[in-house]
Amino acid sequence: MTTVQSLAPAELASRMAGAGLELQIGPFIVRLQSRLPAIVDGVGLMYADYRLPPPTGFADFHLRLSRDGGLRRWYRPQVLLQSDGNAPFAPLPLAQAFPMLEWGLNWCVASRAHNYLIIHAAVIERGGRAAILPAPPGSGKSTLCSALVHRGWRLLSDELALLRLDDGLLVPLPRPISLKNASLPLMRAYLSESVFNSPVHDTMKGTVGHLKAPADSVARSGEPARPAWVIFPRYEAGAAAELSPLSRARGHMELAGNAFNYSMLGSDGFHALARLVGLSSCYHFRYSRLDDAVTMFANLAAQP
Amino acid sequence: MAAAPKSLILITTTGSGGRGNESCLIVLYTLLLATARQFIKDTNVATPDPDQQPPRLPSTPSPLAAGQPTSPARRRFGRAGAAAAAGGVLATVKSSPGMACTICWTPSADQSMLIGKSHHAENNPCNGVPPSSWIASTSWPNNINRDTFKFQDAFTMRGTNTDKTMLALMQVGSDAVCAKNDYACKANRYDSSLSNDAWMMKYLCANFLNMTSKKMPFLTMEILNGIWTGWCTNSAYTPRGGAKAWGIADLKRYLSGTV
Amino acid sequence: MTQYLAMGAAAPHWRLGFGQQLQHHGWDTDEFLLFNDLAGDTHLVDQDALDVLHLLREAPDDVAGLAARLGLGPEQAPVLDALLETLHRLSLVEYGA
């Protein structure tokens, strides 16, 4: 199996500067084009374990990141992202190129992959059962997810849960995990053996960095998982770890509020989400210490 | 989620509107209903007063009102407490108003996802072009003759100026020329020199041409006709039965945001 | 009251909203998820609301008839009224001849 890391750096740079590098990210083939060193190096580091699919000429998404033109090339240079030839976003400072790639990939999936019900949630799996962790930004979801996927859980996704409409399985989309501000030094200390890229400062979300997805999670990105738990996490300073059961009906309502395309899918989305909660136990989860959370989740997985 | 009290959880959908046809039919039905009522009113057919409240049960106390209900249903309704006061509906996840694409990106887009406020995806990129682009283009989609194609050749409701060509209707007023990535400019391209009617027709023409050229797959003729008919009949557009009506400000923001 | 059906001189009745299929799910509580076919909304409703909707699907009725079928007494009239008003506002039920 050919992966990104099998390419010599010069070959990687050449492909991305030319026709593009095609790589398999979850169920999608993404073609990336860029001459920007931050992108080439970032892909080489963060996507090292990702498979290069056989060349078919087909890609689900095509992204190109380049320096914005005009005077901006020289004074406070900016990066422009283009998706299938269109520029959907305002340019960002050049230093934010890699975060922009990640945000752009999120946008591609969330706005176009409508054969899935897409929920803003992390998804992790253990023992053949998946836990969905829906949460708006700032809930500590990514910090929690980072810890769990290095403590016995497989990463299916940190940001976007893809629920397949026809069979109700969760399809993996493992990607670099985005961490912000205080979470970065916290997780660097907690996961001293893991790979992080260089943080980018002064983004609209503050300082942003990425944690490389575990190689095993990437290797198993073709294995969907059956939902078993829906857990709404909330970090609260000083709080003891606590799981509070939630009824399935109310879990459904909260999940719908975290779904990107629930309304668009109409009654199909309604039934798909109901099937998911019907298979799952739903909880609110409050915590402050990561080790407590890891233990709580391990106990959950140990239950039949 | 708190127990019992009603709450509205608003979400807005993203996407290409691939399932928009169903919603369009519902929109069409709602509009037909409104049109039928209007017709019936105009022809003086006797109708119930729309403002009449339905008759209510008398509230006089019953001998059984001393807390001794005799049937399961009576017990259940009596015991529902706060939920009953709220009318049996505890919460609602509201569908979007049927518009898969709302407003194009602005520079203030939430950059954690670049999709507006997380799952409240109010900002979607749109591939449409403004009226000035269609004016400048010599090639219109589907072999439409730009010199002769009238507004009423596409839109069903006729009225003042619908017999004018789309080209002429788009040439009125000034069209702020925005740089490709100048999203602040695009968001404010309202051309306040025009009357509301003239503005609506101008931007409906541009949206029609964008839709026809497949630049905006989420947009359909049903939606555009619905907007035009709603504007003509009520100066508003209600995307779905029971949903909030869009006034001129909402319509301007939407129709200019798609280009 | 915006959903009148002006069909004739018969006494107005409550009926299930046009196009509503009452697609719903419930598990181990007396709260149910209900899909609103007209608005595309999803509602969390209780047993009372679901019972009223099912009865109106079987047969339209006026308030007195509906209350009788539910086995309600006059003291529960305001509750039924409030419920019908809410369901009407959500386009789940209609009122007319």
Side-chain angles (χ1 to χ4, degrees):
Chain A
M1 187 167 65
T2 314
T3 59
V4 169
Q5 65 186 340
S6 68
L7 299 176
E11 171 67 15
L12 175 64
S14 169
R15 286 201 198 187
M16 291 190 69
L21 175 78
E22 288 178 1
L23 63 160
Q24 187 85 41
I25 304 180
F28 307 111
I29 295 176
V30 181
R31 185 183 302 132
L32 290 179
Q33 283 178 302
S34 186
R35 294 174 186 268
L36 300 175
I39 296 296
V40 177
D41 295 345
V43 168
L45 179 67
M46 291 285 136
Y47 286 91
D49 303 318
Y50 288 69
R51 198 166 63 89
L52 302 173
T56 59
F58 171 79
D60 293 289
F61 309 119
H62 176 200
L63 291 179
R64 183 167 182 269
L65 291 103
S66 55
R67 282 173 90 118
D68 201 15
L71 286 174
R72 280 290 194 179
R73 288 190 70 84
W74 314 113
Y75 174 68
R76 293 193 182 171
Q78 294 181 315
V79 55
L80 181 69
L81 181 139
Q82 290 171 290
S83 168
D84 292 309
N86 299 302
F89 313 138
L92 291 174
L94 189 60
Q96 298 180 25
F98 190 81
M100 190 173 207
L101 167 63
E102 292 299 303
W103 293 328
L105 281 168
N106 288 340
W107 170 78
C108 282
V109 173
S111 59
R112 286 149 66 176
H114 297 302
N115 48 328
Y116 304 98
L117 175 62
I118 307 166
I119 306 167
H120 186 200
V123 186
I124 56 177
E125 176 265 328
R126 186 163 177 168
R129 296 186 290 175
I132 301 167
L133 281 61
S139 59
K141 162 180 66 66
S142 293
T143 307
L144 179 61
C145 181
S146 300
L148 290 169
V149 300
H150 290 85
R151 295 290 186 270
W153 293 79
R154 172 167 66 114
L155 173 70
L156 272 75
S157 182
D158 169 55
E159 198 76 60
L160 299 171
L162 302 181
L163 183 68
R164 204 150 60 187
L165 293 175
D166 56 4
D167 61 7
L169 294 179
L170 291 156
V171 173
L173 184 64
R175 301 251 310 285
I177 299 175
S178 168
L179 295 165
K180 297 188 289 284
N181 301 316
S183 293
L184 275 165
L186 177 74
M187 295 317 294
R188 278 183 183 271
Y190 195 83
L191 303 172
S192 53
E193 303 297 314
S194 298
V195 175
F196 293 80
N197 64 2
S198 301
V200 176
H201 304 287
D202 301 322
T203 75
M204 285 189 70
K205 285 295 174 182
T207 297
V208 170
H210 294 87
L211 165 66
K212 185 166 174 277
D216 178 67
S217 299
V218 176
R220 295 174 61 191
S221 62
E223 296 176 31
R226 188 162 299 283
W229 304 284
V230 178
I231 303 171
F232 297 88
R234 190 169 89 236
Y235 172 81
E236 269 183 37
E242 184 185 2
L243 270 174
S244 310
L246 184 64
S247 75
R248 289 184 170 93
R250 290 181 182 241
H252 178 121
M253 298 296 278
E254 291 199 36
L255 272 168
N258 283 280
F260 288 101
N261 60 349
Y262 176 75
S263 285
M264 209 204 75
L265 294 176
S267 62
D268 287 349
F270 173 72
H271 293 302
L273 203 58
R275 177 169 59 185
L276 186 156
V277 296
L279 292 170
S280 306
S281 302
C282 301
Y283 301 94
H284 284 138
F285 178 57
R286 194 176 59 170
Y287 73 103
S288 58
R289 293 185 65 247
L290 275 176
D291 282 341
D292 292 345
V294 168
T295 303
M296 184 74 78
F297 272 75
N299 291 341
L300 202 59
Q303 293 171 16
Chain B
M1 191 187 293
K6 272 193 303 190
S7 61
L8 282 177
I9 307 167
L10 288 173
I11 64 174
T12 304
T13 60
T14 65
S16 61
R19 305 201 182 218
N21 286 336
E22 199 175 282
S23 63
C24 294
L25 287 172
I26 291 167
V27 164
L28 203 56
Y29 164 72
T30 308
L31 289 170
L32 285 171
L33 199 61
T35 309
R37 287 203 300 273
Q38 187 67 37
F39 173 74
I40 290 168
K41 274 188 179 176
D42 289 343
T43 55
N44 290 321
V45 172
T47 68
D49 181 349
D51 293 325
Q52 180 186 27
Q53 296 301 309
R56 296 167 187 269
L57 278 178
S59 324
T60 51
S62 121
L64 298 171
Q68 302 292 328
T70 60
S71 76
R74 196 175 288 192
R75 258 201 308 277
R76 185 170 60 242
F77 264 77
R79 207 170 50 179
V89 180
L90 306 169
T92 293
V93 173
K94 278 204 74 64
S95 171
S96 73
M99 307 295 192
C101 176
T102 53
I103 305 171
C104 292
W105 294 99
T106 67
S108 61
D110 182 332
Q111 298 203 0
S112 70
M113 295 291 289
L114 283 179
I115 308 181
K117 294 175 183 168
S118 68
H119 20 277
H120 297 263
E122 292 182 0
N123 295 302
N124 257 317
C126 304
N127 300 327
V129 297
S132 56
S133 295
W134 288 116
I135 293 167
S137 168
T138 54
S139 157
W140 284 19
N142 286 7
N143 293 317
I144 292 174
N145 186 328
R146 50 177 261 145
D147 296 316
T148 59
F149 191 77
K150 301 187 182 67
F151 186 89
Q152 63 196 24
D153 290 336
F155 291 88
T156 47
M157 181 154 265
R158 301 199 170 190
T160 309
N161 291 324
T162 59
D163 59 342
K164 290 197 162 47
T165 64
M166 284 200 174
L167 182 64
L169 290 170
M170 288 192 292
Q171 285 171 323
V172 297
S174 65
D175 194 14
V177 177
C178 297
K180 189 176 175 189
N181 299 322
D182 189 342
Y183 300 94
C185 173
K186 283 189 178 184
N188 290 308
R189 186 168 43 204
Y190 286 171
D191 196 345
S192 56
S193 66
L194 294 179
S195 69
N196 287 340
D197 285 338
W199 194 99
M200 286 291 294
M201 295 184 85
K202 174 176 177 174
Y203 276 85
L204 279 170
C205 290
N207 276 272
F208 166 77
L209 291 167
N210 287 330
M211 179 209 71
T212 306
S213 64
K214 301 197 191 318
K215 291 185 192 302
M216 297 191 293
F218 53 84
L219 203 56
T220 65
M221 200 60 224
E222 282 82 6
I223 292 176
L224 290 177
N225 251 326
I227 292 173
W228 174 241
T229 303
W231 174 253
C232 290
T233 53
N234 292 315
S235 298
Y237 171 59
T238 303
R240 288 183 194 270
K244 173 183 172 291
W246 286 21
I248 184 63
D250 297 312
L251 287 168
K252 277 188 168 180
R253 191 172 62 241
Y254 178 72
L255 291 172
S256 69
T258 59
V259 302
Chain C
M1 300 289 285
T2 59
Q3 299 257 2
Y4 258 68
L5 299 174
M7 303 291 285
H13 277 44
W14 288 102
R15 70 183 66 238
L16 188 65
F18 182 87
Q20 296 290 1
Q21 301 177 64
L22 297 188
Q23 302 180 73
H24 66 281
H25 292 279
W27 294 273
D28 42 11
T29 67
D30 61 355
E31 294 177 349
F32 301 88
L33 299 167
L34 176 68
F35 184 74
N36 186 324
D37 288 284
L38 187 62
D41 298 341
T42 297
H43 306 292
L44 184 69
V45 302
D46 63 15
Q47 187 76 60
D48 296 341
L50 205 58
D51 286 349
V52 166
L53 291 167
H54 278 124
L55 286 176
L56 289 178
R57 179 165 66 178
E58 285 171 20
D61 213 335
D62 58 16
V63 178
L66 196 54
R69 288 157 75 190
L70 286 164
L72 304 186
E75 76 284 2
Q76 287 157 313
V79 177
L80 180 57
D81 281 337
L83 178 52
L84 287 166
E85 280 299 313
T86 298
L87 297 177
H88 183 260
R89 204 162 6 95
L90 298 174
S91 304
L92 289 167
V93 299
E94 297 171 346
Y95 182 74

